[in-house]
Amino acid sequence: MTGSRSGRRVAVIGGGVAGLSAACALAQDGYAVELLEQRPYVGGRASSYLHPGVGEVIDNCQHIILGCCTNVVDLLRRASAEDSILWSNRITFLEPGGRKTVLKPAALPAPLHSTLSFLTAKALKLQDKVAIARAISAFLKGSRPEDDRSNFADWLRNTGQTQRAVEHFWKPVLFSALNEDPDRISVRYAAKVFREAFLFSAEAGRMGVPRVPLSEMYGQVAAAIERAGGKIQLRSTAEKLCHDEASGRWRIRTGERVEDFDTVVLALSFEGLRRLLPGLPDGAPRARLERLLAGFSHSPLTGIHLWFDREITDLEHAVLLDTTVQWLYNTSRIQPERESMRDGHLIELVVSASKSLVPMERQTIIDLAVRELSLFFPAMKDARLLKAAVVKEVRATYSIVPGLDALRPGPESGWPGLILAGDWTATGWPATMESAARSGYLAAEAVSREFGDRGQYLVTDLPRRGLMRFLP
Ligand SMILES: Cc1cc2nc3c(=O)[nH]c(=O)nc-3n(C[C@H](O)[C@H](O)[C@H](O)COP(=O)(O)OP(=O)(O)OC[C@H]3O[C@@H](n4cnc5c(N)ncnc54)[C@H](O)[C@@H]3O)c2cc1C
């Protein structure tokens, strides 16, 4: 440990992806780190737990990453857990009746690598493809400052997108990734995700799904933090955070315990940070944060877990078109090692921006999901539903509305020794695990600067391939 670090303590509040990333980078670089997480497991909004209703460990919702999520991949590498991700370079779109469209790369230079499968896509007609091609050429130019002031619904209208292009392409691809309705999506972020996933390179667009439950995957990161000398305190809620003027340190109260730290990383959701603000010193930094946080709002996401007495499809995952349910994940195929722990074949369905499902009864949602699956898979005729779980995450993500960038702070809170992290901070990414991992690394770099060091943890983006190297 260097002289500036010795005897100085860093606390990270929050054991989601942001907090784990900050704590892992710092612990592995020799800082004395302690992570406090209120729940009995790590992962935050990307976690798994024993569901009492079904008696099995389930993810709160299936999470995916893309090849361009370099910082999540780096976090898993730090924990020797890269093998936890199952990668695939194809997306299957299914129409009711079972007709299939597969988007996959071919040996053409980016951004043309998916062109062949796009041109032969059965789920789109010629006029839809022409409209999408027009939109892609607009995205090729990159986003402009004014794109953060425009909403994606207007943009779809202005670029002449057909109803089918919206329903069979933009909705499953972008509304899902950004978890919002198009009138509440900033064009800047639609462009960002589309360019990363479809244009920059085939590698950037690969889709990755965890082969193990989420808290097990991120539990490997927690174990890496402990191996590096960091401490993980589960079931530890930071109830109050205040500044001790005399010592210049930050004081955290968790239940009966009160402890002082030189530096604190607040790796919380925006609403989690809001709860701790009243204890912080009155003044300009607090007023600024209160103003910024007031501009954030939530969008819900619903995961539907269904156990059948037989396999209903051999696909690992698929987009389901023209139904309420948007994505299907065949968990039994994705996580075959856990099959012996399961009572039946597990299918997970995801509904993004699921505002219509929030007020719905659990059984109504299950009936709807089973009915919709029957439209795609003949095996559903004889399949028997053994059990089901519905997880409504009402505060799943923040809405990436136009203008939000002006409200996303960097890691510096305005108070010395208090650093911000979380998917909602200024990372240039929407509400994703990648944004959380980036924010954690940026926060760790800010901690390092506080100690007079120059730690660099953020990982660079994948190189652009083919013609994309020459475009802005
Ligand atoms: C249903 C759902 C599906 C999603 N799907 C995807 C997907 O497919 N791909 C993707 O990339 N992203 C997805 N996301 C988004 C992704 O999960 C989040 O963007 C990311 O996990 C946020 O991480 P975070 O660390 O910033 O925040 P959080 O995960 O919210 O972490 C904050 C942590 O702080 C803890 N905490 C709060 N207050 C305190 C306190 N006072 N003391 C101690 N601990 C505290 C919380 O328990 C939590 O663990 C999804 C999210 C949801 C909910």
Side-chain angles (χ1 to χ4, degrees):
M1 197 178 285
T2 62
S4 68
R5 298 181 198 177
S6 84
R8 292 173 66 177
R9 303 175 71 200
V10 181
V12 175
I13 304 180
V17 179
L20 289 168
S21 307
C24 194
L26 289 168
Q28 291 184 340
D29 210 6
Y31 294 87
V33 181
E34 198 162 321
L35 183 143
L36 311 175
E37 166 54 49
Q38 65 184 6
R39 294 178 176 168
Y41 46 83
V42 294
R45 272 172 284 154
S47 51
S48 47
Y49 55 91
L50 182 64
H51 189 288
V54 292
E56 283 189 34
V57 171
I58 58 168
D59 289 342
N60 63 333
C61 184
Q62 176 72 53
H63 275 60
I64 66 156
I65 58 171
L66 298 175
C68 54
C69 296
T70 49
N71 289 273
V72 176
V73 171
D74 181 72
L75 179 64
L76 297 175
R77 180 197 56 76
R78 283 177 173 276
S80 305
E82 311 93 306
D83 290 351
S84 311
I85 300 289
L86 176 69
W87 293 101
S88 152
N89 63 1
R90 49 170 58 210
I91 306 181
T92 305
F93 296 72
L94 292 180
E95 291 169 82
R99 189 165 71 162
K100 237 187 232 180
T101 290
V102 179
L103 286 190
K104 60 177 187 214
L108 284 173
L112 305 173
H113 52 282
S114 298
T115 310
L116 283 181
S117 57
F118 174 69
L119 290 176
T120 54
K122 296 193 187 84
L124 298 166
K125 294 202 186 326
L126 181 63
Q127 61 269 36
D128 312 320
K129 291 176 189 175
V130 170
I132 294 169
R134 200 164 42 238
I136 291 176
S137 73
F139 277 158
L140 274 175
K141 295 180 195 126
S143 72
R144 303 149 306 160
E146 60 269 31
D147 286 342
D148 190 41
R149 294 194 293 276
S150 329
N151 77 59
F152 193 45
D154 286 345
W155 190 91
L156 290 169
R157 253 190 310 276
N158 296 339
T159 56
Q161 298 305 301
T162 61
Q163 183 62 25
R164 196 181 303 101
V166 171
E167 289 298 324
H168 285 192
F169 189 72
W170 298 111
K171 191 171 175 181
V173 167
L174 284 186
F175 305 0
S176 284
L178 295 162
N179 194 38
E180 247 309 354
D181 296 328
D183 58 331
R184 289 178 54 76
I185 292 176
S186 155
V187 172
R188 171 182 288 178
Y189 284 94
K192 160 97 188 149
V193 172
F194 191 79
R195 282 159 62 85
E196 295 277 355
F198 284 92
L199 304 181
F200 283 170
S201 69
E203 192 188 358
R206 289 190 307 161
M207 184 173 144
V209 289
R211 288 174 199 271
V212 291
L214 286 163
S215 291
E216 198 176 302
M217 182 168 91
Y218 288 120
Q220 297 183 66
V221 178
I225 294 170
E226 288 180 322
R227 275 198 303 279
K231 288 190 193 150
I232 307 275
Q233 309 274 6
L234 298 177
R235 298 188 175 85
S236 279
T237 305
E239 286 156 11
K240 188 157 187 214
L241 172 68
C242 58
H243 193 244
D244 179 46
E245 293 296 334
S247 65
R249 300 176 97 200
W250 291 94
R251 182 157 290 168
I252 303 177
R253 199 186 73 213
T254 51
E256 300 294 295
R257 275 175 61 203
V258 176
E259 288 196 79
D260 289 349
F261 293 86
D262 300 280
T263 307
V264 175
V265 177
L266 290 166
L268 301 167
S269 59
F270 74 86
E271 70 275 12
L273 175 60
R274 220 184 249 158
R275 282 194 291 273
L276 284 180
L277 278 186
L280 295 176
D282 215 358
R286 191 169 113 185
R288 171 179 164 263
L289 277 178
E290 280 167 352
R291 180 180 62 77
L292 299 181
L293 294 176
F296 282 79
S297 53
H298 288 109
S299 183
L301 219 149
T302 299
I304 307 161
H305 307 246
L306 303 172
W307 286 258
F308 291 104
D309 65 345
R310 69 198 66 204
E311 186 168 78
I312 60 160
T313 172
D314 58 4
L315 290 169
E316 278 165 3
H317 38 73
V319 172
L320 304 183
L321 297 172
D322 303 327
T323 43
T324 308
V325 166
Q326 295 149 351
W327 278 82
L328 169 145
Y329 298 92
N330 190 344
T331 313
S332 287
R333 288 249 165 185
I334 296 168
Q335 303 178 355
E337 300 79 21
R338 302 187 67 86
E339 211 47 7
S340 59
M341 294 175 231
R342 276 194 199 106
D343 309 327
H345 292 268
L346 175 57
I347 293 285
E348 287 189 45
L349 305 171
V350 175
V351 186
S352 302
S354 58
K355 289 160 196 151
S356 66
L357 297 193
V358 171
M360 244 185 230
E361 299 277 342
R362 172 183 172 279
Q363 193 55 47
T364 312
I365 295 175
I366 296 168
D367 293 345
L368 170 85
V370 170
R371 213 168 40 243
E372 292 194 344
L373 283 181
S374 309
L375 302 175
F376 299 89
F377 305 108
M380 281 295 293
K381 197 156 84 53
D382 300 313
R384 198 160 58 85
L385 181 68
L386 303 174
K387 58 183 182 180
V390 176
V391 182
K392 292 181 194 168
E393 289 274 8
V394 178
R395 288 194 287 263
T397 57
Y398 57 88
S399 302
I400 194 79
V401 291
L404 197 74
D405 270 358
L407 305 179
R408 298 176 73 183
E412 272 85 18
S413 66
W415 289 286
L418 200 60
I419 311 290
L420 304 175
D423 62 351
W424 59 278
T425 59
T427 61
W429 277 70
T432 50
M433 297 186 288
E434 176 62 13
S435 182
R438 281 177 186 244
S439 79
Y441 284 169
L442 288 169
E445 290 179 2
V447 171
S448 170
R449 285 195 294 278
E450 293 252 333
F451 281 68
D453 300 332
R454 290 190 186 171
Q456 291 208 321
Y457 311 113
L458 196 69
V459 170
T460 51
D461 293 339
L462 291 177
R464 296 186 196 183
R465 302 283 180 202
L467 305 174
M468 289 310 294
R469 282 173 297 165
F470 309 110
L471 288 171

